[in-house]
Amino acid sequence: MSLMHKMGILLKSLRLKYVQSEEEKKKFHDISVEEAQKKYEVSKNDYIWLDVRTQGEYSQRHIPGSKLIPIDQLEDRIGEVGSKDKKYIVYCHSGGRSVAACMILHDKGYKQLFNMPGMSYWNGPTES
């Protein structure tokens, strides 16, 4: 992936985190970290936990059982995401990249998308 493409994803992530149109907001649901932690405690297997951070970030700390596909590889690795019929909780460090990932996934036909603000706020179980 070119540097320009990576920069484009970063800029889109920042814009989507702070300025979303009403149409964009309909493509996924924002959930709080508290809601996500409750879902993890009660029904974690009902969701695919998709981490879109870098390998280095994932290696330091991630939600147990989560699937890593960095945002800059998501479109190329879309076949690894999983079934479009599943529910996904998508997260990154602070919420920008996960918003962009939800937009990409929605455009590829995924409909049950939940954006979690990020690992920087997660107090639930982790592993490294």
Side-chain angles (χ1 to χ4, degrees), residues 49-109:
W49 297 78
L50 184 61
D51 189 323
V52 296
R53 298 175 300 153
T54 65
Q55 177 66 54
E57 290 172 300
Y58 184 83
S59 296
Q60 289 177 3
R61 180 174 173 255
H62 61 270
I63 297 171
S66 62
K67 180 184 287 194
L68 172 68
I69 303 179
I71 184 67
D72 63 345
Q73 299 172 20
L74 184 58
E75 290 186 84
D76 293 335
R77 295 176 56 191
I78 200 74
E80 297 175 41
V81 173
S83 171
K84 293 178 182 177
D85 297 330
K86 300 276 185 180
K87 294 184 277 189
Y88 290 84
I89 294 181
V90 183
Y91 69 94
C92 60
H93 178 72
S94 61
R97 290 173 285 179
S98 58
V99 169
C102 284
M103 298 296 289
I104 291 167
L105 291 167
H106 183 273
D107 290 347
K108 300 290 184 185

